[in-house]
């Protein structure tokens, strides 16, 4: 079952933001004594006390104003720091969740979508936490406090405020449901456009070759226009919510002002518990009436922040949803690498595998034994499970049924990390990271020196390739390297690892011309000396050079 990370639970519940929010609420409540002092000073002037009666209230109003400003600033700063720290932790947990999923997971989110959610959409969480949540807490406390203070002075003024207040949340809730749906649609559109753009940028050379640049540009333009429409829909709803609140807030304040005015003029004698309001009391109620609606106005102003923030949290939460996890993702143990020794044996017993969501097994109860130092070719029709078998041996897919033993060590969540240090993976489309050729060969592995990298490049016959010199910087995806050069770079990675004695090779000669395929084959055979090698291939020429060929679908050995 999918369990939300701790940072998600804290952000959803608001835990850790109480102190800052309460400071802001306290700052808002300080307006009550300030309004009381101002009304008291005005009443004293009307009573003929003179200008001296204003000095003390003015000083107290100034002091309360300073305290109010300090509390509000400290509260905002505390909430912002907490929100930024929690968002950073949440991003780390999302990244860790994505890293824990198998690279062969078909449901794994597109990299462009994940990058958009984590980098852009996640920023919507900050206004949600720093503006909406404190505004919501003030809305729950400040109007109630004002109502408690106003009711003993005038029940009719309190009744007007009480009747006008619920209309605002009702209409805001109606608008808010639509706002959240619009924000979610906007974020989905934004993530889809980013994923589409990143995918097309990666295949730009292919698109140019096929003459599909104009079609791609038209589709990107259509996606941008759809995003524009989604964004304008969100803004329209945001302005609508503000207009609704302003209307009801203005009506509420106006009704209170009309009542106070006619009451002080003697036109309305009721509504003050059988007594006549003084000028100071009337002014006090008038000063508190806008403050009664102020938290609601602030809540309306940040209502779209709520919609965008919750949509961003949902998008981030979706990235941590259940997926196909690596076998070592459920444990924190890290078994040390096995000491380098003779080539390992591989024993597979009763192994069954089916793709996620499929009820049909790719292979069922497979038994296979590969001797130490043996070179084996795995052959099958497309979809027959060749690459899946290699991924299972490498611990990139979880074992559902059966067992895999490497040199008498069962492959499990606790042993897979150590066993991987004995493996070298060579795929038909090796991923090239943004960085130098040296970094792409060494891969930050301990003990791989510059001399080892140079020797590995020479072994892979890349020393004469200008774009494959150790100090040359490569872009993400290996721009500048041909397909054959990328495969040879993967060979260099394996050659630079002195501890790798189990070679897992997936379609190394696919999409290569005959000369390059022959070159790669010879390099593989040379690299496999003294090691165990398992090759998944459709290439009969490569398979003929192996010690043994295993036909998965026929479940027999040749």
């Amino acid at each position: 079952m999918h369990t939300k990370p701790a940072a998600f639970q804290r952000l959803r519940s608001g835990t850790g933001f109480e102190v800052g929010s309460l400071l802001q609420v306290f700052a808002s409540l300080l307006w009550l004594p300030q309004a009381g002092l101002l009304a008291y000073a005005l009443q004293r002037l009307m009573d003929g006390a003179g200008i001296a009666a204003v000095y003390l209230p003015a000083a107290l109003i100034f002091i309360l104003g300073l305290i109010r400003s300090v509390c509000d600033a400290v509260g905002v700063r505390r909430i912002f720091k907490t929100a930024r720290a929690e968002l950073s932790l949440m991003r780390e947990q999302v990244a860790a969740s994505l890293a824990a999923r198998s690279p062969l997971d078909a449901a794994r989110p597109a990299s462009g979508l994940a990058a958009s959610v984590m980098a852009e959409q996640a920023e919507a969480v900050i206004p949600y936490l720093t503006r909406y949540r404190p505004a919501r807490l003030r809305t729950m406390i400040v109007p109630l406090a004002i109502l408690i203070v106003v009711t003993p002075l005038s029940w009719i003024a309190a009744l007007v405020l009480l009747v006008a207040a619920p209309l605002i949340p009702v209409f805001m809730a109606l608008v808010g449901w639509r706002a959240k749906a619009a924000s979610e649609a906007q974020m989905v559109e934004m993530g889809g456009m980013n994923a589409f753009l990143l995918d097309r940028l990666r295949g730009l050379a292919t698109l140019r070759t096929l003459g599909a640049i104009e079609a791609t540009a038209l589709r990107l333009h259509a996606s941008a226009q759809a995003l524009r429409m989604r964004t304008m829909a969100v803004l329209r709803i945001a302005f609508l919510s503000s207009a609704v609140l302003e209307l009801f807030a203005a009506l509420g304040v106006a009704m209170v002002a009309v009542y106070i005015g006619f009451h002080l003029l003697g036109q309305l004698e009721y509504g003050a518990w059988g007594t006549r309001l003084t000028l100071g009391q009337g002014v006090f109620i008038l000063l508190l009436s806008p403050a009664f609606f102020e938290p609601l106005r602030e809540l309306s102003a940040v209502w779209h922040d709520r919609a965008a923030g919750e949509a961003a949290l949902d998008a981030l939460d979706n990235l941590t949803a259940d997926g196909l996890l690596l076998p070592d993702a459920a444990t924190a143990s890290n078994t040390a690498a096995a000491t380098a020794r003779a080539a390992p044996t591989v024993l597979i017993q009763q192994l069954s595998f089916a793709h996620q969501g499929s009820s049909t097994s790719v292979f069922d109860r497979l038994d296979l034994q590969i001797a130490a130092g043996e070179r084996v070719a795995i052959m099958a029709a497309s979809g027959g499970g060749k690459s899946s078998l290699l991924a299972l041996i490498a611990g990139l897919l979880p074992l559902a049924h059966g067992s895999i033993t490497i040199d008498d060590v069962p492959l499990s969540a606790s042993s897979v990390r150590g066993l991987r240090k004995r493996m070298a993976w060579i795929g038909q489309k090796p991923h090239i990271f943004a960085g130098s050729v040296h970094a792409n060969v060494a891969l930050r592995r301990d003990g791989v020196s510059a001399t080892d990298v140079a020797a590995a490049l020479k072994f892979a016959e890349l020393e004469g390739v200008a774009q494959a010199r150790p100090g040359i910087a490569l872009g993400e995806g290996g721009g500048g390297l041909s397909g054959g050069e990328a495969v040879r770079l993967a060979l260099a990675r394996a050659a630079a690892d002195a501890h790798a004695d189990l070679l897992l090779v997936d379609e190394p000669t696919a999409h290569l011309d005959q000369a390059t395929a022959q070159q790669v084959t010879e390099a593989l055979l040379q690299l496999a000396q003294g090691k165990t090698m398992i090759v998944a291939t459709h290439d009969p020429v490569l398979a003929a050079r192996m010690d043994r060929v295993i036909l998965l679908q026929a479940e027999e050995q040749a």
Side-chain angles (χ1 to χ4, degrees):
M1 179 179 291
H2 171 50
T3 302
K4 294 181 181 178
F8 282 78
Q9 296 174 357
R10 287 195 297 270
L11 290 178
R12 294 285 192 185
S13 63
T15 305
F17 301 90
E18 296 89 349
V19 175
S21 298
L22 289 175
L23 281 173
Q24 290 186 279
V25 171
F26 178 71
S28 298
L29 290 176
L30 286 178
W31 172 242
L32 275 70
Q34 283 183 301
L37 288 169
L38 185 59
Y40 171 77
L42 181 60
Q43 183 64 51
R44 292 282 289 164
L45 288 175
M46 291 297 297
D47 293 341
I51 195 65
V54 178
Y55 294 152
L56 180 59
L60 292 176
I61 290 174
F62 178 74
I63 293 172
L64 289 173
L66 288 178
I67 297 174
R68 184 179 180 183
S69 299
V70 170
C71 289
D72 188 62
V74 172
V76 170
R77 181 176 179 84
R78 185 182 182 93
I79 290 175
F80 181 81
K81 291 178 66 176
T82 304
R84 180 56 67 184
E86 289 294 326
L87 180 58
S88 298
L89 180 59
M90 184 167 57
R91 280 170 164 157
E92 290 179 8
Q93 292 175 338
V94 171
S97 177
L98 290 174
R101 296 175 71 167
S102 171
L104 303 179
D105 185 2
R108 186 184 180 96
S111 56
L113 174 61
S116 174
V117 171
M118 294 178 65
E120 297 178 59
Q121 299 179 27
E123 286 299 317
V125 175
I126 297 297
Y128 168 67
L129 296 174
T130 58
R131 297 170 57 187
Y132 169 74
R133 283 192 177 276
R136 186 182 66 176
L137 186 61
R138 284 197 298 272
T139 302
M140 296 170 60
I141 297 177
V142 175
L144 181 61
I146 293 176
L147 201 63
I148 292 173
V149 172
V150 170
T151 301
L153 298 176
S154 172
W155 62 267
I156 197 168
L159 182 62
V160 170
L161 296 178
L162 188 61
V163 170
L167 296 176
I168 298 171
V170 168
F171 280 92
M172 285 178 61
L174 294 175
V175 174
W177 291 335
R178 178 57 183 163
K180 187 174 186 296
S183 294
E184 289 177 346
Q186 181 205 24
M187 290 192 173
V188 169
E189 192 74 42
M190 183 184 299
M193 187 181 73
N194 288 336
F196 172 79
L197 180 60
L198 182 59
D199 179 68
R200 294 309 185 269
L201 287 176
R202 285 175 173 172
L204 188 60
T206 303
L207 292 173
R208 191 182 301 277
T209 302
L210 297 175
I213 295 295
E214 184 176 354
T216 301
L218 290 175
R219 182 174 173 184
L220 183 61
H221 179 267
S223 180
Q225 291 300 313
L227 177 60
R228 180 181 65 84
M229 297 298 293
R230 300 284 189 187
T231 303
M232 294 306 297
V234 173
L235 292 177
R236 282 198 302 269
I237 294 171
F239 286 122
L240 175 62
S241 63
S242 297
V244 168
L245 185 138
E246 291 292 342
L247 173 63
F248 286 102
L251 289 175
V253 173
M255 290 174 65
V256 172
V258 169
Y259 164 74
I260 295 296
F262 280 104
H263 183 85
L264 293 177
L265 291 173
Q267 301 296 320
L268 296 175
E269 299 290 344
Y270 56 88
W273 305 105
T275 62
R276 173 71 69 85
L277 291 175
T278 65
L279 176 63
Q281 291 173 335
V283 171
F284 180 60
I285 294 174
L286 283 175
L287 290 173
L288 292 184
S289 295
F292 179 86
F293 293 102
E294 183 179 358
L296 295 171
R297 294 175 63 186
E298 292 179 359
L299 188 64
S300 174
V302 299
W303 194 253
H304 63 283
D305 290 334
R306 168 190 175 271
E310 290 189 348
L313 284 174
D314 290 340
L316 287 166
D317 197 20
N318 289 336
L319 294 183
T320 65
D322 289 332
L324 194 59
L325 299 180
L326 291 171
D328 57 342
T331 178
S333 62
N334 187 3
T335 307
T339 305
R341 53 183 184 269
T345 59
V346 179
L347 177 61
I348 299 174
Q349 294 178 308
Q350 298 294 294
L351 184 63
S352 300
F353 174 75
H355 291 293
Q356 189 177 20
S358 173
S359 59
T360 304
S361 296
V362 178
F363 43 78
D364 185 39
R365 299 186 181 278
L366 175 66
D367 289 317
L368 178 63
Q369 184 171 0
I370 300 174
E374 190 175 14
R375 300 171 300 182
V376 174
I378 306 293
M379 299 191 74
S382 297
K386 304 184 302 299
S387 298
S388 298
L389 180 59
L390 292 185
L392 287 165
I393 296 173
L396 299 178
L397 288 173
L399 289 174
H401 303 284
S403 65
I404 298 176
T405 304
I406 300 174
D407 254 4
D408 300 325
V409 179
L411 183 68
S412 64
S414 59
S415 66
V416 64
R417 294 188 182 181
L419 289 174
R420 279 203 197 115
K421 296 183 186 243
R422 300 188 62 178
M423 303 176 188
W425 179 280
I426 303 172
Q428 58 176 308
K429 294 182 179 179
H431 184 77
I432 309 299
F433 299 94
S436 66
V437 172
H438 177 278
N440 269 280
V441 173
L443 296 178
R444 296 187 178 180
R445 291 173 292 194
D446 296 334
V448 180
S449 63
T451 304
D452 296 329
V453 171
L457 291 172
K458 183 178 181 180
F459 165 80
E461 299 185 15
L462 287 172
E463 75 277 9
V465 179
Q467 279 296 108
R469 295 172 184 170
I472 296 295
L474 298 174
E476 189 75 17
L481 293 179
S482 67
E485 290 167 348
V487 173
R488 282 188 283 163
L489 186 64
L491 285 170
R493 286 174 176 171
D497 190 354
H499 299 288
D501 51 13
L502 176 58
L503 305 180
L504 303 176
V505 189
D506 186 16
E507 298 283 5
T509 58
H511 313 301
L512 299 181
D513 59 79
Q514 185 176 0
T516 305
Q518 178 65 25
Q519 190 178 22
V520 169
T521 299
E522 295 298 333
L524 277 174
L525 294 173
Q526 185 178 350
L527 183 62
Q529 292 181 6
K531 302 176 182 180
T532 302
M533 183 168 69
I534 306 174
V535 181
T537 183
H538 281 108
D539 187 355
V541 176
L542 174 61
R545 302 292 298 275
M546 300 295 106
D547 299 328
R548 183 160 52 117
V549 176
I550 297 173
L551 303 176
L552 281 186
Q553 287 185 331
E555 297 185 2
E556 63 182 23
Q557 299 179 4

